[in-house]
Amino acid sequence: MKFIEVKNVVFAYDAAEEGEEPKTVLKDISFEIEKGSFVALLGHNGSGKSTLAKMFNGILEPESGDIVVNGLNTKEESTILDVRKSVGLVLQNPDNQLVASIVEEDVAFGPENLGIPPEQIRQRVDSALKSVDMYEFRAHAPHKLSGGQKQRVAIAGIIAMEPECIVLDEPTAMLDPQGRKEVMDTVIKLNREKKITIILITHYMDEAVQADRVIVLDDGRIIRDGAPKKVFSEVEFLKCHSLDVPQATELAYRLSSSGMKIEGTPLNETECISAVIKALS
Ligand code: ADP
């Protein structure tokens, strides 16, 4: 079942200077996102990923074309609150997303704004903190947490609003490897166990391979859309568009280029090792 429909979306930002042309950053984009899926959105800087992310919960509106979320057009003012409730947005810097001085108050902020009754808020906050494994930190001060912990609290704040979809715009860019792993484990768990639709914008290809589907944007257009194995098999093509491939895929590609008979497209170390052992035997 489709959850988000992107139909012929065109978007331009106003020109910075008078007399300049407006800058078209999304150029007739169309695709659909299935309910419960985990989609990675890739593309080099400036390709239009964040602009698109802001359309999924109606922060930005298409100039032409439509974004339909759960059957609701984001251009329809009377239902925009329902769109915002069903699609949560997590941004890069957790410090900009945490507003209260105690973790549980921070997580309560979103549902309070939605007008949820207090007794339900308590239950939502506890459950959201448990689902990101931060319940034991509920009485802590957010600014004393690690980057990964802060980002998980920010995600809990979104979960407490009970969205059906979470869009994460480079949520791990400012985190150390441990923090990145914590956030990715949380995102995968929310997708698999709570069936929350995930749209993840990332520059880390080892994160993208964990998605069911990878969409690659380049200069406001979709240039690839498919399963990670299929998209990452085109190593040269991706490099031409200033994109990396996962490290294991790169190693396998180089071994293959130097004559080793590597089968398929290994996406992680285990798959790469198996392919090498097979090639040597
Ligand atoms: P990405 O997330 O892929 O890096 P963005 O969607 O942030 O891409 O940006 C796409 C293009 O739009 C870039 O060229 C960027 O400079 C421009 N842009 C982004 N935000 C604004 C804005 N608020 N005003 C004008 N131009 C913008």
Side-chain angles (χ1 to χ4, degrees):
M1 203 173 105
K2 58 192 171 215
F3 183 70
I4 297 181
E5 293 165 80
V6 177
K7 298 183 191 172
N8 304 104
V9 166
V10 175
F11 182 83
Y13 286 106
D14 290 340
E17 307 275 332
E18 213 171 305
E20 274 181 22
E21 287 288 304
K23 190 170 186 244
T24 305
V25 296
L26 296 176
K27 302 171 180 172
D28 195 8
I29 288 191
S30 297
F31 61 94
E32 290 176 358
I33 289 187
E34 286 291 304
K35 203 176 175 72
S37 61
F38 176 0
V39 178
L41 198 52
L42 309 181
H44 62 75
N45 282 339
S47 53
K49 305 180 298 295
S50 296
T51 304
L52 191 54
K54 287 182 191 130
M55 299 212 163
F56 294 142
N57 76 347
I59 295 176
L60 291 176
E61 244 182 42
E63 201 172 285
S64 68
D66 294 288
I67 305 263
V68 179
V69 176
N70 228 358
L72 305 174
N73 194 315
T74 60
K75 283 181 177 162
E76 186 56 57
E77 269 179 40
S78 62
T79 49
I80 193 66
L81 256 184
D82 292 319
V83 170
R84 300 235 162 96
K85 274 186 209 167
S86 63
V87 181
L89 189 57
V90 174
L91 303 171
Q92 190 180 97
N93 188 345
D95 289 322
N96 295 345
Q97 299 170 80
L98 303 178
V99 288
S101 55
I102 297 173
V103 164
E104 61 184 2
E105 284 178 6
D106 203 281
V107 177
F109 190 74
E112 272 165 8
N113 270 345
L114 293 180
I116 307 294
E119 61 282 5
Q120 273 185 41
I121 292 181
R122 172 82 267 156
Q123 186 264 325
R124 281 193 186 201
V125 168
D126 289 352
S127 153
L129 281 169
K130 282 177 190 160
S131 66
V132 300
D133 285 325
M134 286 298 288
Y135 184 65
E136 62 186 289
F137 294 91
R138 63 192 177 282
H140 286 228
H143 70 271
K144 289 194 176 155
L145 301 175
S146 71
Q149 290 172 327
K150 282 184 198 168
Q151 195 61 296
R152 283 188 286 150
V153 171
I155 294 173
I158 299 292
I159 294 170
M161 294 191 273
E162 299 190 342
E164 289 175 79
C165 171
I166 303 182
V167 181
L168 302 106
D169 192 350
E170 297 193 47
T172 63
M174 305 185 77
L175 307 183
D176 60 16
Q178 174 60 27
R180 281 181 54 205
K181 183 173 177 332
E182 288 170 14
V183 169
M184 279 309 293
D185 287 350
T186 302
V187 166
I188 291 166
K189 189 172 130 191
L190 292 172
N191 177 247
R192 300 215 175 121
E193 293 177 11
K194 291 193 181 282
K195 311 289 177 218
I196 293 179
T197 307
I198 300 286
I199 302 173
L200 173 72
I201 296 178
T202 183
H203 282 294
Y204 293 110
M205 300 304 145
D206 55 334
E207 294 178 0
V209 296
Q210 306 194 56
D212 316 319
R213 175 179 171 199
V214 172
I215 297 176
V216 184
L217 276 184
D218 184 72
D219 192 22
R221 290 195 175 88
I222 293 175
I223 54 168
R224 283 297 180 270
D225 181 352
K229 276 235 184 271
K230 184 162 173 284
V231 172
F232 288 123
S233 67
E234 295 189 72
V235 177
E236 287 294 333
F237 176 84
L238 293 171
K239 282 177 185 273
C240 282
H241 289 87
S242 318
L243 283 166
D244 279 334
V245 294
Q247 273 186 336
T249 313
E250 170 83 34
L251 177 60
Y253 173 74
R254 289 203 196 176
L255 289 170
S256 182
S257 306
S258 55
M260 197 180 244
K261 285 208 159 26
I262 300 281
E263 274 181 20
T265 306
L267 293 180
N268 56 41
E269 286 170 27
T270 314
E271 289 181 7
C272 188
I273 291 167
S274 304
V276 170
I277 290 173
K278 200 163 176 201
L280 292 174
S281 59

mmCIF file of all heavy atoms in Angstrom, residues 10-37:
data_model
loop_
_atom_site.group_PDB
_atom_site.id
_atom_site.type_symbol
_atom_site.label_atom_id
_atom_site.label_comp_id
_atom_site.label_asym_id
_atom_site.label_seq_id
_atom_site.Cartn_x
_atom_site.Cartn_y
_atom_site.Cartn_z
ATOM 1 N N VAL A 10 7.858 19.907 -8.957
ATOM 2 C CA VAL A 10 8.844 20.914 -9.363
ATOM 3 C C VAL A 10 8.920 21.925 -8.226
ATOM 4 O O VAL A 10 7.897 22.294 -7.637
ATOM 5 C CB VAL A 10 8.403 21.622 -10.671
ATOM 6 C CG1 VAL A 10 9.350 22.761 -11.034
ATOM 7 C CG2 VAL A 10 8.289 20.624 -11.812
ATOM 8 N N PHE A 11 10.150 22.334 -7.884
ATOM 9 C CA PHE A 11 10.284 23.342 -6.828
ATOM 10 C C PHE A 11 11.488 24.238 -7.112
ATOM 11 O O PHE A 11 12.552 23.758 -7.500
ATOM 12 C CB PHE A 11 10.479 22.676 -5.459
ATOM 13 C CG PHE A 11 10.564 23.668 -4.334
ATOM 14 C CD1 PHE A 11 9.415 24.192 -3.763
ATOM 15 C CD2 PHE A 11 11.797 24.116 -3.885
ATOM 16 C CE1 PHE A 11 9.491 25.132 -2.743
ATOM 17 C CE2 PHE A 11 11.886 25.056 -2.862
ATOM 18 C CZ PHE A 11 10.725 25.565 -2.293
ATOM 19 N N ALA A 12 11.282 25.551 -6.907
ATOM 20 C CA ALA A 12 12.392 26.502 -7.062
ATOM 21 C C ALA A 12 12.439 27.412 -5.847
ATOM 22 O O ALA A 12 11.390 27.811 -5.324
ATOM 23 C CB ALA A 12 12.197 27.335 -8.324
ATOM 24 N N TYR A 13 13.647 27.704 -5.371
ATOM 25 C CA TYR A 13 13.793 28.722 -4.321
ATOM 26 C C TYR A 13 13.856 30.079 -5.001
ATOM 27 O O TYR A 13 14.379 30.209 -6.119
ATOM 28 C CB TYR A 13 15.086 28.496 -3.533
ATOM 29 C CG TYR A 13 15.025 27.312 -2.595
ATOM 30 C CD1 TYR A 13 15.689 26.128 -2.893
ATOM 31 C CD2 TYR A 13 14.311 27.388 -1.412
ATOM 32 C CE1 TYR A 13 15.636 25.036 -2.037
ATOM 33 C CE2 TYR A 13 14.242 26.299 -0.543
ATOM 34 C CZ TYR A 13 14.908 25.137 -0.861
ATOM 35 O OH TYR A 13 14.846 24.071 -0.011
ATOM 36 N N ASP A 14 13.357 31.108 -4.299
ATOM 37 C CA ASP A 14 13.434 32.467 -4.847
ATOM 38 C C ASP A 14 14.897 32.833 -5.074
ATOM 39 O O ASP A 14 15.777 32.382 -4.329
ATOM 40 C CB ASP A 14 12.820 33.476 -3.865
ATOM 41 C CG ASP A 14 11.320 33.292 -3.789
ATOM 42 O OD1 ASP A 14 10.752 32.700 -4.721
ATOM 43 O OD2 ASP A 14 10.729 33.717 -2.768
ATOM 44 N N ALA A 15 15.134 33.659 -6.058
ATOM 45 C CA ALA A 15 16.505 34.111 -6.326
ATOM 46 C C ALA A 15 17.032 34.915 -5.142
ATOM 47 O O ALA A 15 16.281 35.646 -4.494
ATOM 48 C CB ALA A 15 16.514 34.961 -7.579
ATOM 49 N N ALA A 16 18.321 34.759 -4.839
ATOM 50 C CA ALA A 16 18.927 35.477 -3.715
ATOM 51 C C ALA A 16 19.013 36.970 -4.020
ATOM 52 O O ALA A 16 18.776 37.814 -3.158
ATOM 53 C CB ALA A 16 20.307 34.902 -3.419
ATOM 54 N N GLU A 17 19.321 37.310 -5.267
ATOM 55 C CA GLU A 17 19.484 38.722 -5.662
ATOM 56 C C GLU A 17 18.393 39.097 -6.666
ATOM 57 O O GLU A 17 17.974 38.257 -7.467
ATOM 58 C CB GLU A 17 20.836 38.913 -6.381
ATOM 59 C CG GLU A 17 22.037 38.402 -5.624
ATOM 60 C CD GLU A 17 22.549 39.425 -4.632
ATOM 61 O OE1 GLU A 17 22.343 40.622 -4.893
ATOM 62 O OE2 GLU A 17 23.114 39.004 -3.602
ATOM 63 N N GLU A 18 18.006 40.354 -6.625
ATOM 64 C CA GLU A 18 17.031 40.829 -7.609
ATOM 65 C C GLU A 18 17.651 40.717 -9.011
ATOM 66 O O GLU A 18 18.845 40.985 -9.186
ATOM 67 C CB GLU A 18 16.674 42.285 -7.315
ATOM 68 C CG GLU A 18 15.235 42.579 -7.692
ATOM 69 C CD GLU A 18 14.798 43.958 -7.209
ATOM 70 O OE1 GLU A 18 14.935 44.218 -5.992
ATOM 71 O OE2 GLU A 18 14.373 44.722 -8.063
ATOM 72 N N GLY A 19 16.833 40.291 -9.965
ATOM 73 C CA GLY A 19 17.327 40.160 -11.329
ATOM 74 C C GLY A 19 17.840 38.768 -11.638
ATOM 75 O O GLY A 19 17.952 38.386 -12.798
ATOM 76 N N GLU A 20 18.149 37.981 -10.579
ATOM 77 C CA GLU A 20 18.592 36.598 -10.816
ATOM 78 C C GLU A 20 17.389 35.697 -11.062
ATOM 79 O O GLU A 20 16.295 35.972 -10.593
ATOM 80 C CB GLU A 20 19.333 36.045 -9.594
ATOM 81 C CG GLU A 20 20.793 36.375 -9.556
ATOM 82 C CD GLU A 20 21.469 35.763 -8.331
ATOM 83 O OE1 GLU A 20 20.939 34.797 -7.765
ATOM 84 O OE2 GLU A 20 22.520 36.293 -7.953
ATOM 85 N N GLU A 21 17.636 34.597 -11.757
ATOM 86 C CA GLU A 21 16.578 33.609 -11.988
ATOM 87 C C GLU A 21 16.348 32.792 -10.715
ATOM 88 O O GLU A 21 17.313 32.489 -10.005
ATOM 89 C CB GLU A 21 17.016 32.636 -13.090
ATOM 90 C CG GLU A 21 17.018 33.222 -14.486
ATOM 91 C CD GLU A 21 15.604 33.431 -15.013
ATOM 92 O OE1 GLU A 21 14.845 32.468 -15.043
ATOM 93 O OE2 GLU A 21 15.278 34.590 -15.366
ATOM 94 N N PRO A 22 15.085 32.406 -10.397
ATOM 95 C CA PRO A 22 14.885 31.474 -9.274
ATOM 96 C C PRO A 22 15.600 30.150 -9.574
ATOM 97 O O PRO A 22 15.727 29.764 -10.733
ATOM 98 C CB PRO A 22 13.372 31.252 -9.235
ATOM 99 C CG PRO A 22 12.782 32.251 -10.150
ATOM 100 C CD PRO A 22 13.839 32.744 -11.076
ATOM 101 N N LYS A 23 16.057 29.485 -8.518
ATOM 102 C CA LYS A 23 16.844 28.271 -8.718
ATOM 103 C C LYS A 23 15.946 27.028 -8.613
ATOM 104 O O LYS A 23 15.422 26.724 -7.542
ATOM 105 C CB LYS A 23 17.917 28.230 -7.626
ATOM 106 C CG LYS A 23 18.923 27.174 -7.868
ATOM 107 C CD LYS A 23 20.084 27.334 -6.913
ATOM 108 C CE LYS A 23 21.118 26.345 -7.292
ATOM 109 N NZ LYS A 23 21.619 25.394 -6.766
ATOM 110 N N THR A 24 15.726 26.349 -9.728
ATOM 111 C CA THR A 24 14.897 25.142 -9.696
ATOM 112 C C THR A 24 15.717 24.003 -9.119
ATOM 113 O O THR A 24 16.760 23.644 -9.665
ATOM 114 C CB THR A 24 14.404 24.784 -11.125
ATOM 115 O OG1 THR A 24 13.742 25.934 -11.648
ATOM 116 C CG2 THR A 24 13.452 23.617 -11.099
ATOM 117 N N VAL A 25 15.278 23.450 -7.997
ATOM 118 C CA VAL A 25 16.066 22.400 -7.343
ATOM 119 C C VAL A 25 15.409 21.015 -7.425
ATOM 120 O O VAL A 25 16.081 20.020 -7.243
ATOM 121 C CB VAL A 25 16.420 22.749 -5.882
ATOM 122 C CG1 VAL A 25 17.314 23.953 -5.816
ATOM 123 C CG2 VAL A 25 15.207 22.951 -5.023
ATOM 124 N N LEU A 26 14.101 20.967 -7.693
ATOM 125 C CA LEU A 26 13.459 19.673 -7.957
ATOM 126 C C LEU A 26 12.800 19.782 -9.328
ATOM 127 O O LEU A 26 12.006 20.690 -9.577
ATOM 128 C CB LEU A 26 12.421 19.342 -6.873
ATOM 129 C CG LEU A 26 12.980 19.149 -5.453
ATOM 130 C CD1 LEU A 26 11.847 18.911 -4.452
ATOM 131 C CD2 LEU A 26 13.998 18.022 -5.376
ATOM 132 N N LYS A 27 13.173 18.854 -10.221
ATOM 133 C CA LYS A 27 12.806 19.017 -11.631
ATOM 134 C C LYS A 27 11.913 17.875 -12.110
ATOM 135 O O LYS A 27 12.403 16.925 -12.701
ATOM 136 C CB LYS A 27 14.085 19.094 -12.470
ATOM 137 C CG LYS A 27 14.987 20.258 -12.027
ATOM 138 C CD LYS A 27 16.342 20.200 -12.693
ATOM 139 C CE LYS A 27 17.192 21.386 -12.219
ATOM 140 N NZ LYS A 27 18.576 21.311 -12.676
ATOM 141 N N ASP A 28 10.637 17.964 -11.790
ATOM 142 C CA ASP A 28 9.663 16.974 -12.249
ATOM 143 C C ASP A 28 9.958 15.582 -11.696
ATOM 144 O O ASP A 28 10.262 14.645 -12.439
ATOM 145 C CB ASP A 28 9.618 16.958 -13.786
ATOM 146 C CG ASP A 28 8.380 16.240 -14.290
ATOM 147 O OD1 ASP A 28 7.517 15.908 -13.468
ATOM 148 O OD2 ASP A 28 8.293 15.999 -15.511
ATOM 149 N N ILE A 29 9.861 15.491 -10.387
ATOM 150 C CA ILE A 29 10.143 14.223 -9.700
ATOM 151 C C ILE A 29 8.848 13.477 -9.412
ATOM 152 O O ILE A 29 7.885 14.070 -8.932
ATOM 153 C CB ILE A 29 10.878 14.518 -8.370
ATOM 154 C CG1 ILE A 29 12.292 14.956 -8.696
ATOM 155 C CG2 ILE A 29 10.884 13.324 -7.437
ATOM 156 C CD1 ILE A 29 13.175 15.026 -7.511
ATOM 157 N N SER A 30 8.844 12.173 -9.709
ATOM 158 C CA SER A 30 7.681 11.331 -9.384
ATOM 159 C C SER A 30 8.149 9.998 -8.820
ATOM 160 O O SER A 30 9.051 9.376 -9.394
ATOM 161 C CB SER A 30 6.851 11.025 -10.641
ATOM 162 O OG SER A 30 6.317 12.204 -11.179
ATOM 163 N N PHE A 31 7.600 9.580 -7.727
ATOM 164 C CA PHE A 31 7.778 8.223 -7.203
ATOM 165 C C PHE A 31 6.785 8.005 -6.069
ATOM 166 O O PHE A 31 6.117 8.942 -5.636
ATOM 167 C CB PHE A 31 9.222 7.948 -6.729
ATOM 168 C CG PHE A 31 9.709 8.833 -5.607
ATOM 169 C CD1 PHE A 31 9.593 8.407 -4.280
ATOM 170 C CD2 PHE A 31 10.290 10.049 -5.863
ATOM 171 C CE1 PHE A 31 10.054 9.202 -3.238
ATOM 172 C CE2 PHE A 31 10.756 10.858 -4.826
ATOM 173 C CZ PHE A 31 10.633 10.428 -3.518
ATOM 174 N N GLU A 32 6.707 6.754 -5.623
ATOM 175 C CA GLU A 32 5.811 6.436 -4.507
ATOM 176 C C GLU A 32 6.593 5.722 -3.431
ATOM 177 O O GLU A 32 7.568 5.035 -3.723
ATOM 178 C CB GLU A 32 4.693 5.499 -4.993
ATOM 179 C CG GLU A 32 3.730 6.192 -5.914
ATOM 180 C CD GLU A 32 2.676 5.251 -6.485
ATOM 181 O OE1 GLU A 32 2.722 4.042 -6.177
ATOM 182 O OE2 GLU A 32 1.824 5.746 -7.232
ATOM 183 N N ILE A 33 6.173 5.903 -2.190
ATOM 184 C CA ILE A 33 6.813 5.192 -1.085
ATOM 185 C C ILE A 33 5.785 4.297 -0.415
ATOM 186 O O ILE A 33 4.702 4.748 -0.038
ATOM 187 C CB ILE A 33 7.458 6.188 -0.094
ATOM 188 C CG1 ILE A 33 8.677 6.802 -0.794
ATOM 189 C CG2 ILE A 33 7.854 5.494 1.221
ATOM 190 C CD1 ILE A 33 9.534 7.677 0.034
ATOM 191 N N GLU A 34 6.132 3.018 -0.332
ATOM 192 C CA GLU A 34 5.226 2.027 0.256
ATOM 193 C C GLU A 34 5.166 2.164 1.769
ATOM 194 O O GLU A 34 6.194 2.434 2.406
ATOM 195 C CB GLU A 34 5.735 0.614 -0.069
ATOM 196 C CG GLU A 34 5.532 0.183 -1.488
ATOM 197 C CD GLU A 34 4.056 -0.023 -1.813
ATOM 198 O OE1 GLU A 34 3.395 -0.805 -1.124
ATOM 199 O OE2 GLU A 34 3.572 0.635 -2.759
ATOM 200 N N LYS A 35 3.992 1.955 2.314
ATOM 201 C CA LYS A 35 3.814 1.959 3.772
ATOM 202 C C LYS A 35 4.701 0.868 4.391
ATOM 203 O O LYS A 35 4.775 -0.251 3.872
ATOM 204 C CB LYS A 35 2.347 1.642 4.064
ATOM 205 C CG LYS A 35 1.857 2.119 5.387
ATOM 206 C CD LYS A 35 0.353 1.820 5.465
ATOM 207 C CE LYS A 35 -0.197 2.147 6.810
ATOM 208 N NZ LYS A 35 -0.308 3.530 7.128
ATOM 209 N N GLY A 36 5.414 1.229 5.436
ATOM 210 C CA GLY A 36 6.248 0.240 6.144
ATOM 211 C C GLY A 36 7.612 -0.002 5.525
ATOM 212 O O GLY A 36 8.386 -0.801 6.040
ATOM 213 N N SER A 37 7.915 0.693 4.414
ATOM 214 C CA SER A 37 9.219 0.442 3.782
ATOM 215 C C SER A 37 10.310 1.307 4.415
ATOM 216 O O SER A 37 10.034 2.226 5.190
ATOM 217 C CB SER A 37 9.135 0.696 2.268
ATOM 218 O OG SER A 37 8.791 2.040 2.033
#
